[in-house]
Amino acid sequence: MNVRDSEHMIAELNREETYLLTKDAKEADLILINTCSVREKPVNKLFSEIGQFVKHKKHGAKIGVCGCSASHLGEEIFKRAPEVNFVLGARNVSKIREAVLKERFLSIDINYDESAYAFGEFRQNPYKAYINISIGCDKKCAFCIVPHTRGEEISVPHELILKEAARAAKSGAKEIFLLGQNVNNYGRRLSGGKRGEINFSQLLVKIAEIDEVERIRFTSPHPLHMDDEFLEVFASNPKICKSMHMPLQSGSTAILKAMRRGYTKEWFLERAKKLRAMSPQASISTDIIVAFPGESERDFMDTMEVMEEVRFEQIFSFKYSARPLTTAAQMTNTVNNKTASLRLKTLQDRHAGLLDEMTPNYKDRVFEVYFEELRENKMAAGRTSQNFTVCVEGGEELLGKIKNVKITRPQRLILYGQVV
Ligand code: SAH
């Protein structure tokens, strides 16, 4: 989502002037730091990063802090880093041109409605088009700061999404990647409070009807909204990539309740089982938080059990991090850091073990790979429908193409193979 917000800012800047991108901060006239605030660590890094830019930047170059940390820190950024010229919240991206013109500018209104704003066109990767289909989040997960930085959930009108998808696909982006904090809750509320005309499953079907679209991905769906209609569309539509993200967070029903996730361990397992049955070739990835306040050893074992049962192909796992504005930050039954680190390691080690069991099975299998980028040593990389990264020897000629690849050397994170 941040990548897309950055693309939107670049597109806006380019409306009237030409901005060239540079990786060398010393060369830049404008330095944009697009931030996250989901965990504490990146927020701490922000100020040391600003310090580095201040030290090395060109005389007169402006610095803008954007995104979720901008939303929640606001004025404090100017206080702690007076060299910053503007602070632009995650829902105020469209104001970037106004921001760069002023000596000092702050816009962090989380009620600002950009859901139907027609951003300019810019894509870092011409082969893949990220499209925001909703902004904000209506969930009230106890650990999560996002509703406080991105505001309430508003869906983008489907006509705009379809137009953007068609335009991107016609210009070469065979893959459409739909984005939303709660992506499969699409259509619940449009700007002004009206309900949308179509739901997420129907939106997927409509996007798949665009001839030039060959692949559709989306993130992040919420397990609670994985109803049968959604699973059926996912499993049966050949253009929808067979990779599902199912953020578990915890396997313990008691902790899920304290987290206010709205589902139980059994419900999650039932949905995952149904998905495996309906779409046996699909991969399932997840997000897991260990050591949420009150998590006992038994609760943690529940999480380990779910991992064992679902056999996730990929996990993103985190130690719980207390975030300002969230209800969990008030909880006093915290888990000590040593236990938290141990649980994270136990979880990650076992998942590495699961991957060691799964990965060898990919040897000699043939996958359809969409090539998106070049890597070192004359390698080209792409993804299978399941979202596995595949590398083969090759160059430019492969980019933007879908090829059959036979896996010769499967590794945990990269499957090496040959085009066949
Ligand atoms: N809207 C998405 C989450 C986006 S944040 C969803 O509900 O799936 C991505 C992940 O960061 C979350 O799924 C969660 O696992 C993790 N996360 C969020 N808040 C956290 C916190 N306070 N501490 C640790 N991890 C957190």
Side-chain angles (χ1 to χ4, degrees), residues 196-223:
E197 283 163 37
I198 62 173
N199 66 19
F200 186 60
S201 305
Q202 292 159 332
L203 179 69
L204 287 173
V205 171
K206 282 195 184 294
I207 292 177
E209 283 166 3
I210 301 170
D211 280 347
E212 293 83 355
V213 171
E214 297 200 31
R215 286 187 165 199
I216 304 170
R217 294 187 194 276
F218 51 86
T219 207
S220 306
H222 194 292

Side-chain angles (χ1 to χ4, degrees), residues 144-157:
C144 190
I145 195 173
V146 170
H148 308 279
T149 60
R150 289 188 178 268
E152 68 171 359
E153 190 172 313
I154 306 179
S155 297
V156 175

